[in-house]
């Protein structure tokens, strides 16, 4: 399908692409890692693939070889568009190239079902994107995502662990999450300072416990925003009588956010909503 020389090095040279730090540009050239990502994605002929930040397309080239029904890529750096168009011209797989900001883009407007999100995310916006996908209930059936290793650790973190945080609760409330494998920084050019981790997310049929995401977000923000404070103190930013809320939820007022389970955060969120 492709001339042998169509690879990352060829595309970077041909289009004179020098990576921009501000866009989190660390391009993945290690083929074995790309193959492991593809294996985890288990792409079928009827799959629609969505990729954030394809860059010059090292992952996109290999995705196209799997011949899914379509691939939609969204890239902020216009300098990458020629490289992506070259890949598009060389494959029979339908590739839609969107030039824009993935944070602002409404994926629901693509009108596709059975959409798999396979992305090596720009580090600076990775959690922002994840929160957006949860808030908008974006219709991806599966995500294979590369995160900075510390961020991935926060995503899978459980209560009482040091890295347990707002994004751990929100992500695990909404998704089934599996850490797949670590990726050394030597797999990228230019080499980032930190290693990465690939994780798989699958939306739960419904969130783990009932809660209104608006209230849940408020509770998580205020509690983890003051990690060292007791819950009764943090929650006083949201309610005039936080002890009453905690009593109703059956939670000790002196606990700190890292002591609470997802279920308990949902209880607090529901009590707060009921009392507002
Ligand atoms: N997928 C490529 C790979 O694996 O080699 C590149 C991954 S690189 C870590 C992140 C990519 O996201 C860059 O190409 C960057 O230009 C792009 N990007 C950064 N911010 C973006 C945004 N807000 N919307 C879309 N793409 C963005």
């Amino acid at each position: 399908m492709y001339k042998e020389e169509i690879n990352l090095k060829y595309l970077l040279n041909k289009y004179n692409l020098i990576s921009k730090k501000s866009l989190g540009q660390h391009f993945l050239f290690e083929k074995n890692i790309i193959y492991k990502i593809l294996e985890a994605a288990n792409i079928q002929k009827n799959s629609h693939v969505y990729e954030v930040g394809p860059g010059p397309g090292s992952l996109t080239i290999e995705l196209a070889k799997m011949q899914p029904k379509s691939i939609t890529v969204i890239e902020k750096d216009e300098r990458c568009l020629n490289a992506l168009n070259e890949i598009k011209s060389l494959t029979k797989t339908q590739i839609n190239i969107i030039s824009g900001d993935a944070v602002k883009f409404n994926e629901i407007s693509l009108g596709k079902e059975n959409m798999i999100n396979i992305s090596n995310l720009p580090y600076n916006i990775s959690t922002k994107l994840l929160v957006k996908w949860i808030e908008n209930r974006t219709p991806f059936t599966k995500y294979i995502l590369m995160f900075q290793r510390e961020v991935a650790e926060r995503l899978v973190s459980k209560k009482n662990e040091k890295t347990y945080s707002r994004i751990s609760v929100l992500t695990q409330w909404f998704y089934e999450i599996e850490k797949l494998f670590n990726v050394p920084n030597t797999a990228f050019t230019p080499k980032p300072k930190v290693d990465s981790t690939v994780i798989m997310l699958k939306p739960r049929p419904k969130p783990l416990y009932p809660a209104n995401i608006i209230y849940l977000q408020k509770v998580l923000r205020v509690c983890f925003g003051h990690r060292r404070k007791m819950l009764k103190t943090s929650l006083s930013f949201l309610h005039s009588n936080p002890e009453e809320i905690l009593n109703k939820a059956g939670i000790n007022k002196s606990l700190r956010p890292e002591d609470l389970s997802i279920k308990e955060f949902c209880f607090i969120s529901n009590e707060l909503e009921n009392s507002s």
Side-chain angles (χ1 to χ4, degrees), residues 143-154:
Y143 303 66
I144 308 292
L145 302 176
M146 173 115 61
F147 285 91
Q148 202 173 334
R149 194 160 164 185
E150 296 91 279
V151 176
E153 261 150 31
R154 279 200 276 135

Side-chain angles (χ1 to χ4, degrees), residues 193-204:
K193 287 203 179 87
V194 292
D195 291 338
S196 299
T197 299
V198 176
I199 61 154
M200 175 158 68
L201 296 172
K202 285 186 185 161
R204 298 181 182 280

Side-chain angles (χ1 to χ4, degrees), residues 40-52:
N42 189 21
I43 295 166
Q44 306 292 314
K45 297 275 176 229
N46 66 347
S47 305
H48 294 284
V49 174
Y50 181 75
E51 185 191 359
V52 171

